[in-house]
Short mmCIF file of all heavy atoms in Angstrom, two decimals:
data_model
loop_
_atom_site.label_atom_id
_atom_site.label_comp_id
_atom_site.label_asym_id
_atom_site.label_seq_id
_atom_site.Cartn_x
_atom_site.Cartn_y
_atom_site.Cartn_z
N THR A 1 -4.06 -3.03 8.11
CA THR A 1 -4.78 -4.23 7.68
C THR A 1 -5.47 -4.93 8.84
O THR A 1 -6.45 -5.64 8.62
CB THR A 1 -3.85 -5.23 6.96
OG1 THR A 1 -2.77 -5.60 7.81
CG2 THR A 1 -3.31 -4.65 5.66
N SER A 2 -5.00 -4.71 10.06
CA SER A 2 -5.67 -5.31 11.21
C SER A 2 -6.84 -4.45 11.70
O SER A 2 -7.70 -4.93 12.43
CB SER A 2 -4.68 -5.56 12.35
OG SER A 2 -4.21 -4.34 12.87
N GLU A 3 -6.87 -3.19 11.27
CA GLU A 3 -7.90 -2.28 11.74
C GLU A 3 -9.02 -2.03 10.72
O GLU A 3 -10.16 -1.81 11.10
CB GLU A 3 -7.25 -0.94 12.11
CG GLU A 3 -8.19 0.05 12.76
CD GLU A 3 -7.47 1.31 13.20
OE1 GLU A 3 -6.23 1.30 13.32
OE2 GLU A 3 -8.17 2.32 13.41
N PHE A 4 -8.68 -2.05 9.43
CA PHE A 4 -9.64 -1.72 8.39
C PHE A 4 -9.77 -2.87 7.40
O PHE A 4 -8.94 -3.77 7.36
CB PHE A 4 -9.19 -0.46 7.62
CG PHE A 4 -9.04 0.76 8.47
CD1 PHE A 4 -7.79 1.15 8.95
CD2 PHE A 4 -10.14 1.52 8.82
CE1 PHE A 4 -7.64 2.27 9.74
CE2 PHE A 4 -10.01 2.66 9.61
CZ PHE A 4 -8.76 3.02 10.07
N ASN A 5 -10.82 -2.80 6.56
CA ASN A 5 -10.97 -3.76 5.47
C ASN A 5 -11.75 -3.13 4.33
O ASN A 5 -12.26 -2.02 4.45
CB ASN A 5 -11.62 -5.06 5.95
CG ASN A 5 -12.96 -4.84 6.60
OD1 ASN A 5 -13.80 -4.11 6.09
ND2 ASN A 5 -13.16 -5.45 7.75
N GLY A 6 -11.81 -3.83 3.22
CA GLY A 6 -12.56 -3.37 2.06
C GLY A 6 -12.03 -2.08 1.46
O GLY A 6 -10.83 -1.82 1.43
N GLU A 7 -12.97 -1.27 0.98
CA GLU A 7 -12.62 -0.03 0.30
C GLU A 7 -11.90 0.96 1.22
O GLU A 7 -10.99 1.68 0.80
CB GLU A 7 -13.88 0.61 -0.29
CG GLU A 7 -13.61 1.81 -1.17
CD GLU A 7 -12.75 1.51 -2.38
OE1 GLU A 7 -12.88 0.41 -2.96
OE2 GLU A 7 -11.92 2.37 -2.74
N GLU A 8 -12.31 0.97 2.48
CA GLU A 8 -11.66 1.87 3.45
C GLU A 8 -10.18 1.50 3.62
O GLU A 8 -9.31 2.38 3.68
CB GLU A 8 -12.39 1.81 4.79
CG GLU A 8 -11.91 2.85 5.77
CD GLU A 8 -12.72 2.86 7.06
OE1 GLU A 8 -13.43 1.87 7.36
OE2 GLU A 8 -12.63 3.88 7.76
N LEU A 9 -9.89 0.20 3.67
CA LEU A 9 -8.50 -0.24 3.77
C LEU A 9 -7.72 0.18 2.54
O LEU A 9 -6.59 0.69 2.66
CB LEU A 9 -8.43 -1.76 3.95
CG LEU A 9 -7.03 -2.37 3.90
CD1 LEU A 9 -6.15 -1.80 5.01
CD2 LEU A 9 -7.10 -3.89 3.98
N GLU A 10 -8.29 -0.01 1.36
CA GLU A 10 -7.59 0.37 0.14
C GLU A 10 -7.29 1.86 0.10
O GLU A 10 -6.20 2.27 -0.31
CB GLU A 10 -8.41 -0.03 -1.09
CG GLU A 10 -8.38 -1.51 -1.37
CD GLU A 10 -6.97 -2.07 -1.50
OE1 GLU A 10 -6.13 -1.46 -2.22
OE2 GLU A 10 -6.69 -3.09 -0.86
N GLN A 11 -8.22 2.66 0.56
CA GLN A 11 -7.99 4.11 0.60
C GLN A 11 -6.86 4.45 1.57
O GLN A 11 -5.98 5.25 1.26
CB GLN A 11 -9.27 4.83 1.01
CG GLN A 11 -9.11 6.33 1.08
CD GLN A 11 -10.38 7.04 1.54
OE1 GLN A 11 -11.40 6.42 1.80
NE2 GLN A 11 -10.29 8.34 1.67
N LYS A 12 -6.88 3.83 2.75
CA LYS A 12 -5.82 4.08 3.74
C LYS A 12 -4.46 3.63 3.22
O LYS A 12 -3.44 4.30 3.43
CB LYS A 12 -6.14 3.37 5.06
CG LYS A 12 -7.41 3.83 5.73
CD LYS A 12 -7.20 5.13 6.43
CE LYS A 12 -8.45 5.48 7.24
NZ LYS A 12 -8.37 6.81 7.81
N LEU A 13 -4.44 2.47 2.54
CA LEU A 13 -3.17 1.97 2.00
C LEU A 13 -2.66 2.90 0.90
O LEU A 13 -1.44 3.14 0.81
CB LEU A 13 -3.34 0.55 1.47
CG LEU A 13 -3.53 -0.53 2.52
CD1 LEU A 13 -3.80 -1.88 1.86
CD2 LEU A 13 -2.34 -0.63 3.46
N ASP A 14 -3.55 3.40 0.05
CA ASP A 14 -3.12 4.34 -0.99
C ASP A 14 -2.50 5.59 -0.37
O ASP A 14 -1.46 6.07 -0.82
CB ASP A 14 -4.31 4.74 -1.87
CG ASP A 14 -4.71 3.66 -2.86
OD1 ASP A 14 -3.90 2.74 -3.11
OD2 ASP A 14 -5.85 3.73 -3.37
N GLU A 15 -3.13 6.10 0.69
CA GLU A 15 -2.59 7.28 1.38
C GLU A 15 -1.22 6.97 1.98
O GLU A 15 -0.29 7.79 1.89
CB GLU A 15 -3.55 7.73 2.48
CG GLU A 15 -4.86 8.29 1.96
CD GLU A 15 -5.89 8.51 3.06
OE1 GLU A 15 -5.56 8.33 4.26
OE2 GLU A 15 -7.03 8.87 2.71
N LEU A 16 -1.09 5.80 2.59
CA LEU A 16 0.18 5.40 3.20
C LEU A 16 1.27 5.25 2.15
O LEU A 16 2.40 5.71 2.35
CB LEU A 16 0.00 4.10 3.99
CG LEU A 16 1.20 3.60 4.75
CD1 LEU A 16 1.58 4.59 5.86
CD2 LEU A 16 0.93 2.22 5.34
N ARG A 17 0.94 4.61 1.03
CA ARG A 17 1.93 4.45 -0.05
C ARG A 17 2.38 5.82 -0.57
O ARG A 17 3.58 6.03 -0.78
CB ARG A 17 1.33 3.64 -1.19
CG ARG A 17 1.22 2.18 -0.91
CD ARG A 17 0.73 1.43 -2.15
NE ARG A 17 0.08 0.22 -1.77
CZ ARG A 17 -1.24 0.03 -1.74
NH1 ARG A 17 -2.06 0.98 -2.12
NH2 ARG A 17 -1.74 -1.12 -1.36
N ASN A 18 1.43 6.72 -0.76
CA ASN A 18 1.80 8.07 -1.24
C ASN A 18 2.69 8.78 -0.25
O ASN A 18 3.64 9.47 -0.63
CB ASN A 18 0.54 8.89 -1.53
CG ASN A 18 -0.13 8.48 -2.80
OD1 ASN A 18 0.53 8.12 -3.78
ND2 ASN A 18 -1.45 8.51 -2.82
N GLU A 19 2.39 8.62 1.03
CA GLU A 19 3.19 9.25 2.08
C GLU A 19 4.62 8.73 2.07
O GLU A 19 5.57 9.51 2.20
CB GLU A 19 2.53 8.97 3.44
CG GLU A 19 3.30 9.45 4.63
CD GLU A 19 2.67 8.98 5.94
OE1 GLU A 19 1.42 8.88 6.00
OE2 GLU A 19 3.43 8.70 6.88
N HIS A 20 4.78 7.44 1.89
CA HIS A 20 6.12 6.83 1.99
C HIS A 20 6.88 6.79 0.67
O HIS A 20 8.11 6.83 0.68
CB HIS A 20 6.01 5.42 2.55
CG HIS A 20 5.87 5.40 4.04
ND1 HIS A 20 6.93 5.35 4.89
CD2 HIS A 20 4.77 5.47 4.82
CE1 HIS A 20 6.50 5.38 6.14
NE2 HIS A 20 5.19 5.46 6.11
N PHE A 21 6.17 6.67 -0.46
CA PHE A 21 6.86 6.43 -1.72
C PHE A 21 6.61 7.48 -2.79
O PHE A 21 7.21 7.40 -3.86
CB PHE A 21 6.48 5.04 -2.25
CG PHE A 21 6.76 3.94 -1.27
CD1 PHE A 21 5.72 3.26 -0.67
CD2 PHE A 21 8.05 3.63 -0.89
CE1 PHE A 21 5.95 2.25 0.25
CE2 PHE A 21 8.31 2.63 0.03
CZ PHE A 21 7.26 1.94 0.60
N GLY A 22 5.72 8.42 -2.51
CA GLY A 22 5.49 9.51 -3.47
C GLY A 22 5.13 9.00 -4.86
O GLY A 22 4.20 8.22 -5.02
N SER A 23 5.90 9.43 -5.85
CA SER A 23 5.61 9.08 -7.24
C SER A 23 5.77 7.59 -7.53
O SER A 23 5.30 7.11 -8.56
CB SER A 23 6.49 9.89 -8.19
OG SER A 23 7.85 9.58 -7.96
N ASN A 24 6.42 6.85 -6.65
CA ASN A 24 6.58 5.41 -6.84
C ASN A 24 5.49 4.59 -6.16
O ASN A 24 5.53 3.37 -6.18
CB ASN A 24 7.95 4.96 -6.31
CG ASN A 24 9.08 5.48 -7.16
OD1 ASN A 24 8.97 5.54 -8.37
ND2 ASN A 24 10.16 5.88 -6.52
N ALA A 25 4.50 5.27 -5.58
CA ALA A 25 3.43 4.57 -4.86
C ALA A 25 2.68 3.59 -5.76
O ALA A 25 2.33 2.49 -5.33
CB ALA A 25 2.46 5.58 -4.24
N SER A 26 2.46 3.96 -7.01
CA SER A 26 1.72 3.07 -7.91
C SER A 26 2.52 1.82 -8.23
O SER A 26 1.94 0.75 -8.44
CB SER A 26 1.34 3.81 -9.20
OG SER A 26 2.50 4.23 -9.88
N ILE A 27 3.83 1.92 -8.25
CA ILE A 27 4.69 0.74 -8.48
C ILE A 27 4.55 -0.22 -7.31
O ILE A 27 4.37 -1.43 -7.50
CB ILE A 27 6.16 1.16 -8.67
CG1 ILE A 27 6.30 1.99 -9.95
CG2 ILE A 27 7.08 -0.05 -8.69
CD1 ILE A 27 7.64 2.67 -10.10
N ILE A 28 4.61 0.31 -6.10
CA ILE A 28 4.47 -0.52 -4.90
C ILE A 28 3.09 -1.18 -4.89
O ILE A 28 2.96 -2.37 -4.60
CB ILE A 28 4.68 0.32 -3.62
CG1 ILE A 28 6.08 0.97 -3.62
CG2 ILE A 28 4.46 -0.51 -2.37
CD1 ILE A 28 7.24 0.00 -3.60
N LYS A 29 2.06 -0.42 -5.23
CA LYS A 29 0.70 -0.96 -5.26
C LYS A 29 0.60 -2.11 -6.26
O LYS A 29 0.01 -3.15 -5.98
CB LYS A 29 -0.31 0.13 -5.61
CG LYS A 29 -1.74 -0.35 -5.58
CD LYS A 29 -2.72 0.77 -5.84
CE LYS A 29 -4.15 0.27 -5.71
NZ LYS A 29 -5.11 1.37 -5.75
N GLY A 30 1.18 -1.93 -7.43
CA GLY A 30 1.18 -2.99 -8.44
C GLY A 30 1.89 -4.24 -7.96
O GLY A 30 1.41 -5.35 -8.20
N GLU A 31 3.02 -4.06 -7.31
CA GLU A 31 3.75 -5.22 -6.78
C GLU A 31 2.90 -5.95 -5.75
O GLU A 31 2.81 -7.18 -5.76
CB GLU A 31 5.06 -4.76 -6.14
CG GLU A 31 6.10 -4.30 -7.13
CD GLU A 31 7.35 -3.75 -6.48
OE1 GLU A 31 7.41 -3.64 -5.23
OE2 GLU A 31 8.28 -3.42 -7.22
N GLU A 32 2.29 -5.19 -4.85
CA GLU A 32 1.48 -5.79 -3.81
C GLU A 32 0.26 -6.50 -4.39
O GLU A 32 -0.14 -7.56 -3.90
CB GLU A 32 1.05 -4.74 -2.78
CG GLU A 32 2.22 -4.23 -1.97
CD GLU A 32 1.85 -3.13 -1.00
OE1 GLU A 32 0.69 -2.67 -0.99
OE2 GLU A 32 2.74 -2.72 -0.24
N SER A 33 -0.31 -5.96 -5.46
CA SER A 33 -1.45 -6.60 -6.12
C SER A 33 -1.08 -7.96 -6.68
O SER A 33 -1.92 -8.86 -6.75
CB SER A 33 -1.98 -5.71 -7.25
OG SER A 33 -2.50 -4.53 -6.73
N SER A 34 0.18 -8.11 -7.08
CA SER A 34 0.64 -9.39 -7.62
C SER A 34 1.17 -10.32 -6.53
O SER A 34 1.61 -11.44 -6.82
CB SER A 34 1.71 -9.16 -8.67
OG SER A 34 2.91 -8.71 -8.07
N GLY A 35 1.14 -9.87 -5.27
CA GLY A 35 1.58 -10.70 -4.16
C GLY A 35 3.04 -10.52 -3.76
O GLY A 35 3.55 -11.24 -2.92
N MET A 36 3.72 -9.56 -4.38
CA MET A 36 5.13 -9.32 -4.07
C MET A 36 5.26 -8.12 -3.14
O MET A 36 4.79 -7.04 -3.45
CB MET A 36 5.89 -9.05 -5.37
CG MET A 36 7.40 -9.21 -5.22
SD MET A 36 8.20 -7.87 -4.39
CE MET A 36 9.30 -7.27 -5.61
N PHE A 37 5.88 -8.35 -2.00
CA PHE A 37 6.12 -7.29 -1.02
C PHE A 37 7.63 -7.15 -0.87
O PHE A 37 8.26 -7.92 -0.16
CB PHE A 37 5.44 -7.63 0.31
CG PHE A 37 3.95 -7.67 0.22
CD1 PHE A 37 3.29 -8.79 -0.23
CD2 PHE A 37 3.20 -6.55 0.56
CE1 PHE A 37 1.92 -8.82 -0.33
CE2 PHE A 37 1.82 -6.56 0.47
CZ PHE A 37 1.18 -7.70 0.02
N ARG A 38 8.18 -6.15 -1.56
CA ARG A 38 9.64 -6.04 -1.65
C ARG A 38 10.35 -5.89 -0.32
O ARG A 38 11.52 -6.23 -0.20
CB ARG A 38 10.04 -4.92 -2.60
CG ARG A 38 9.76 -3.53 -2.09
CD ARG A 38 10.40 -2.45 -2.93
NE ARG A 38 9.83 -2.37 -4.25
CZ ARG A 38 10.28 -1.53 -5.18
NH1 ARG A 38 11.28 -0.73 -4.91
NH2 ARG A 38 9.72 -1.48 -6.36
N PHE A 39 9.67 -5.37 0.69
CA PHE A 39 10.36 -5.15 1.96
C PHE A 39 10.22 -6.34 2.92
O PHE A 39 10.60 -6.24 4.08
CB PHE A 39 9.89 -3.84 2.60
CG PHE A 39 10.21 -2.66 1.73
CD1 PHE A 39 9.22 -2.03 0.99
CD2 PHE A 39 11.51 -2.21 1.60
CE1 PHE A 39 9.53 -0.95 0.16
CE2 PHE A 39 11.83 -1.15 0.78
CZ PHE A 39 10.83 -0.52 0.06
N THR A 40 9.68 -7.44 2.42
CA THR A 40 9.64 -8.66 3.23
C THR A 40 10.67 -9.68 2.74
O THR A 40 10.89 -10.67 3.40
CB THR A 40 8.24 -9.32 3.20
OG1 THR A 40 7.91 -9.68 1.87
CG2 THR A 40 7.19 -8.38 3.76
N VAL A 41 11.28 -9.41 1.59
CA VAL A 41 12.31 -10.31 1.08
C VAL A 41 13.64 -10.01 1.76
O VAL A 41 13.83 -8.93 2.33
CB VAL A 41 12.46 -10.21 -0.45
CG1 VAL A 41 11.18 -10.61 -1.14
CG2 VAL A 41 12.89 -8.83 -0.88
#
C-alpha cells in the first residue's frame, strides 16, 4: 500500500491474498472492503 495505488495495488493485493489464504482469499477481501482487518484486532 505504500508502494502502489489504484488498480495496480488491487491486483497486487489480490495476488498476496491468494498466496497467503488460498481459497479463503475472497473472504479476506470482503472483510477488508468493509473496513475489517481481522489480523489487527
Side-chain angles (χ1 to χ4, degrees):
T1 58
S2 66
E3 186 176 342
F4 300 98
N5 56 47
E7 188 60 36
E8 188 175 19
L9 173 60
E10 286 305 313
Q11 180 182 359
K12 298 282 187 187
L13 289 175
D14 285 342
E15 292 170 6
L16 183 64
R17 286 185 205 103
N18 285 324
E19 175 187 326
H20 280 270
F21 304 112
S23 62
N24 291 322
S26 61
I27 295 169
I28 301 297
K29 183 176 184 172
E31 289 175 356
E32 292 177 355
S33 294
S34 71
M36 197 284 241
F37 294 83
R38 70 169 67 183
F39 298 105
T40 61
V41 298

